[in-house]
Amino acid sequence: MADAKIIDGKAFAAGLRARVADGVAALKASHGVTPGLAVVLVGEDPASQVYVKSKERALVELGMNSFDHHEAADMAEADLLALIDRLNADPAVHGILVQLPLPKHIDTQKILARIAPEKDADGFHVVNAGLLATGQPGAIVPCTPLGSLLLIRDTLGHDLKGKRALVLGRSNIVGKPMAHLLLQADCTVTLAHSRTVDLAEECRRADILVAAVGRPEMVRGDWIKPGATVIDVGINRVPAADPAAGPGKTRLVGDVAFAEAVKVAGAITPVPGGVGPMTIACLMLNTLAAACRAAGAPIPAEAAL
Ligand code: GUN
């Protein structure tokens, strides 16, 4: 069998960002509104600093306002709640993103619950999770599962009716919303996790396999149904395989053993360059959609599920 089609998330994300930029320009022209996202970072976690910088850069590139709030690691929870209250009340702010993880002295669920649901650009608020889970319109959908669904539809077409989908990983950020999106798309969905019995056997039944467990190369080639569409959400840093790379050298791998899986799957996302670039592109899309809703303008089709 020929090797799988490699799903080019980087190229799709570039196209999506261009469409968002067009939408931003159109909203400015029609309603005089510039979409704005407030990005809140508490503390100095290096990975979070990198993410936050790329979000802020993308906002500016696409013509949106970026309101940056970089706060000290020892910020009091009450002060963070007060900041969110101010952002909720600010009409120039259409989306609010609080970078996770938060320092341990802050209750993450309490913070997420304080964000006005219509400004919840991450889609983590229980109101948005509930709208998605009950199949109601208007949910803001978490960026990584939304990006994964867009790649699945670009690969298989819009109609996913009757396909068997398996989502590996039950996090609130990826696994659960991904399962709900696929269910909404009329797939027959299995949500598997670390306690699932006969996991390989479950995976082998899936026409669509989404891996989001954070375990390097856990999904082997012989877990995959021939011809399946494989979406690898994992981003794991492991020691470089090649000893010549030198000590301390690392590389990124997904949750799927790519070299094995590419020989069996019909289509597969690489790591890096698959789902990763879609996450920020979808954050931009969610911010534009929130600004459109606030202005009473039509929502971009890709964000309107
Ligand atoms: N930390 C890691 N991923 C994310 C994300 O998608 N959103 C937020 N807010 N924090 C994160």
Side-chain angles (χ1 to χ4, degrees), residues 265-287:
I268 183 168
T269 58
V271 176
V275 175
M278 292 299 292
T279 299
I280 290 185
C282 286
L283 177 67
M284 302 298 113
L285 178 64
N286 278 352
T287 303

Side-chain angles (χ1 to χ4, degrees), residues 104-276:
K104 293 210 176 351
H105 67 279
I106 295 178
D107 179 344
T108 300
Q109 289 310 321
K110 194 165 162 186
I111 298 301
L112 295 180
R114 192 70 156 244
I115 297 171
E118 68 276 13
K119 295 194 178 189
D120 170 35
D122 262 328
F124 293 167
H125 194 286
V126 290
V127 164
N128 285 311
L131 288 171
L132 175 61
T134 54
Q136 296 184 67
I140 300 179
V141 177
C143 303
T144 300
L146 176 57
S148 300
L149 182 71
L150 293 176
L151 292 180
I152 292 167
R153 286 201 154 130
D154 189 55
T155 303
L156 293 174
H158 188 83
D159 183 6
L160 305 176
K161 194 173 356 71
K163 297 208 181 292
R164 283 185 188 275
L166 183 134
V167 179
L168 179 51
R170 55 178 153 177
S171 72
N172 291 333
I173 294 180
V174 183
K176 283 181 202 157
M178 187 77 243
H180 285 302
L181 282 172
L182 291 164
L183 192 57
Q184 194 68 26
D186 297 324
C187 293
T188 302
V189 179
T190 301
L191 183 45
H193 48 78
S194 55
R195 302 285 191 271
T196 296
V197 176
D198 293 336
L199 181 56
E201 200 50 48
E202 294 286 348
C203 289
R204 274 194 284 270
R205 276 196 278 274
D207 305 307
I208 298 168
L209 175 60
V210 181
V213 268
R215 301 211 15 211
E217 301 183 319
M218 180 184 182
V219 176
R220 311 310 307 188
D222 65 359
W223 294 25
I224 291 166
K225 178 176 175 175
T229 298
V230 177
I231 304 293
D232 190 352
V233 178
I235 302 178
N236 308 291
R237 198 165 277 287
V238 298
D242 177 7
K249 286 283 190 278
T250 61
R251 67 194 170 106
L252 289 180
V253 298
D255 292 347
V256 178
F258 183 86
E260 296 174 13
V262 76
K263 298 199 181 328
V264 186
I268 183 168
T269 58
V271 176
V275 175

Side-chain angles (χ1 to χ4, degrees), residues 5 29 88 99 198-199:
K5 174 193 168 213
N88 282 340
Q99 182 66 30
D198 293 336
L199 181 56

